[in-house]
């Protein structure tokens, strides 16, 4: 059995009888070992004591008085965010349920990094039986920004962090432990080199062809189907469309902020200018296998999903929109 995405920490988690991920102390310790929370040499004794105590018992309560006694205000803020996030994770039966509750209730001050990490590990669970490297590569869009470029007539997406060669995100403990190199060659994933994905999945150094009518968008559609089934327990069929013409948007979900903006314009009957049309990377038609799950006002109508890039050609997909935006009667995370 081929493994992938080791850096997400999925091997530190357990599964319940329904297939959901159960939080473990070892998984919580990954967050505590992050550079943002590791006390620097000049940290006060309270911060060092709290950190050491949580590494020994990551579910240990931390009082308001302890937090208030941390001298560095930035460290104090980091701990507040981390402990609130920890309480959300341990307060639900599964990580999937915690994620669904988080995005439905409002993300608030939750760092985008934490949200992406949750999507990463939940997708790793959902895709456990997937053996199609194209689908796995397409799923990277859920949690890693992509830079889009036109290459020999094809629309190609590559990992933004790899392309720029810089990252504002400190390296996670697992990435350090795995010894992943900082730089790597970018190859467009194809049938000829697809098998190489398994050994390089944590490098995020493959690019994906997202040209309309090709396999990249179909692979992304499949990844979205799997995500919806895993989080919402609903079977959907997603078809990538080649053209944006005569589309009646009774219901739509933007897969990112730009996609939502374009959907809003179309829903209002506004004409898309050239720039807006050029920003659309993918348009998908979604139908549910069981029409009874759909809200009455949308019954019989297709739902459209819109993926777009920013003016600087970045895709920042928001998979949480699929959890909050679909017109289905019940919205329950896997448990």
């Amino acid at each position: 059995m081929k493994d992938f995405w080791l850096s997400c920490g999925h091997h530190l988690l357990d599964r319940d009888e329904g297939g959901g991920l159960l939080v473990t102390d070892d998984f919580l310790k990954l967050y505590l070992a992050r550079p943002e929370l590791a006390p620097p040499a000049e940290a006060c004794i309270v911060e060092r004591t709290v950190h050491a105590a949580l590494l020994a018992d990551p579910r240990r309560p931390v009082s308001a008085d302890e937090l208030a006694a941390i001298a560095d205000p930035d460290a104090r803020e980091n701990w507040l965010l981390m402990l609130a996030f920890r309480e959300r994770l341990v307060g639900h039966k599964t990580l999937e349920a915690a994620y669904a509750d988080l995005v439905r209730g409002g993300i608030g001050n939750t760092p985008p990094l934490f949200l992406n990490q949750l999507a990463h590990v939940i997708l790793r669970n959902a895709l456990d039986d997937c053996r199609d490297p194209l689908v796995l590569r397409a799923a990277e869009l859920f949690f890693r920004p992509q830079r889009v470029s036109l290459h020999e007539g094809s629309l190609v997406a590559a990992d933004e962090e790899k392309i720029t060669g810089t990252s504002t995100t400190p390296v996670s403990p697992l990435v350090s432990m795995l010894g992943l190199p900082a730089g790597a060659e970018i190859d467009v994933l194809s049938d000829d080199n697809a098998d190489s994905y398994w050994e390089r999945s944590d490098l995020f150094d493959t690019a994906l062809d997202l040209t309309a009518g090709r396999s990249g968008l179909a692979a992304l559609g499949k990844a979205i189907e799997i995500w919806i089934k895993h989080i919402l327990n609903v079977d959907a069929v997603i078809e990538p469309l080649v053209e944006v013409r005569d589309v009646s948007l009774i219901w739509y979900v933007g897969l990112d902020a730009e996609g939502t903006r374009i959907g809003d314009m179309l829903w209002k009957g506004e004409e898309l200018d050239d720039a807006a049309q050029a920003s659309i990377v993918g348009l998908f038609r979604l139908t549910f296998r069981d029409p009874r799950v759909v809200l009455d006002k949308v019954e019989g109508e297709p739902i459209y999903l819109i993926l777009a890039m920013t003016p600087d050609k970045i895709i920042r997909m928001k998979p949480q929109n699929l959890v909050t935006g679909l017109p289905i009667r019940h919205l329950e995370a896997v448990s």
Side-chain angles (χ1 to χ4, degrees):
M1 181 175 178
K2 296 178 178 179
D3 206 348
F4 60 100
W5 296 353
L6 293 173
S7 59
C8 72
H10 72 94
H11 54 289
L12 300 177
L13 292 158
D14 295 326
R15 288 191 180 93
D16 73 352
E17 65 281 359
L21 293 171
L22 299 173
V23 178
T24 64
D25 286 358
D26 285 341
F27 186 75
L28 292 175
K29 287 178 182 179
L30 276 184
Y31 288 96
L32 296 168
R34 289 198 62 85
E36 302 95 329
L37 290 177
E42 65 275 14
C44 70
I45 185 63
V46 177
E47 183 182 354
R48 293 200 300 270
T49 301
V50 168
H51 186 256
L54 286 171
L55 281 177
D57 178 9
R59 299 175 195 253
R60 171 189 179 274
V62 179
S63 70
D65 288 343
E66 285 179 288
L67 287 175
I70 294 175
D72 184 346
D74 291 334
R76 209 160 48 235
E77 178 67 19
N78 285 343
W79 281 109
L80 282 168
L81 291 173
M82 173 58 209
L83 291 170
F85 185 68
R86 180 193 68 172
E87 292 311 302
R88 189 178 291 274
L89 296 188
V90 302
H92 292 83
K93 184 180 179 184
T94 63
L95 278 185
E96 287 85 350
Y99 179 88
D101 178 67
L102 174 63
V103 300
R104 290 175 191 159
I107 294 167
N109 292 327
T110 303
L113 171 67
F114 285 3
L115 201 63
N116 287 339
Q117 287 176 335
L118 274 184
H120 189 181
V121 73
I122 291 169
L123 266 172
R124 175 59 186 80
N125 188 31
L127 294 164
D128 195 50
D129 295 327
C130 180
R131 293 295 170 264
D132 186 343
L134 275 178
V135 173
L136 301 181
R137 174 58 184 89
E140 291 179 20
L141 272 71
F142 283 60
F143 54 89
R144 291 184 69 91
Q146 307 288 308
R147 181 175 293 276
V148 180
S149 59
L150 195 63
H151 177 66
E152 296 180 353
S154 299
L155 200 64
V156 176
D159 190 271
E160 165 69 359
E161 186 177 311
K162 286 294 179 184
I163 292 294
T164 61
T166 60
S167 172
T168 58
T169 302
V171 175
S172 76
L174 270 181
V175 170
S176 298
M177 182 186 73
L178 293 169
L180 300 179
E185 293 293 326
I186 301 292
D187 297 316
V188 178
L189 204 63
S190 65
D191 291 338
D192 293 335
N193 64 6
D195 278 344
S196 70
Y197 184 84
W198 301 104
E199 62 191 40
R200 63 199 294 188
S201 68
D202 283 292
L203 299 176
F204 304 111
D205 64 347
T206 57
L208 185 67
D209 187 345
L210 292 177
T211 308
R214 296 184 186 171
S215 56
L217 287 176
L220 180 57
K222 182 62 178 177
I224 294 172
E225 288 178 8
I226 293 170
W227 174 256
I228 291 172
K229 174 64 176 177
H230 188 74
I231 296 286
L232 302 176
N233 197 28
V234 172
D235 290 306
V237 177
I238 297 173
E239 174 192 3
L241 305 178
V242 175
E243 292 185 274
V244 187
R245 287 185 181 176
D246 301 323
V247 172
S248 176
L249 293 188
I250 302 299
W251 198 284
Y252 62 93
V253 175
L255 296 176
D256 57 274
E258 286 297 309
T260 299
R261 183 180 67 85
I262 289 170
D264 291 345
M265 292 174 64
L266 291 172
W267 188 75
K268 294 174 184 176
E270 299 177 11
E271 287 287 330
L272 298 183
D273 58 24
D274 291 344
Q277 290 195 40
S279 73
I280 298 174
V281 175
L283 177 68
F284 303 85
R285 180 166 51 220
L286 180 153
T287 54
F288 293 106
R289 293 187 184 276
D290 183 355
R292 293 173 298 179
V293 307
V294 183
L295 296 176
D296 290 340
K297 59 183 176 181
V298 192
E299 190 172 354
E301 297 289 342
I303 294 99
Y304 292 96
L305 312 177
I306 305 169
L307 180 70
M309 57 183 168
T310 64
D312 54 350
K313 294 181 169 47
I314 304 295
I315 298 173
R316 293 187 178 90
M317 190 169 163
K318 300 174 71 175
Q320 62 266 33
N321 290 1
L322 292 163
V323 180
T324 59
L326 291 173
I328 57 182
R329 295 183 185 276
H330 69 285
L331 292 169
E332 296 300 329
V334 64
S335 60

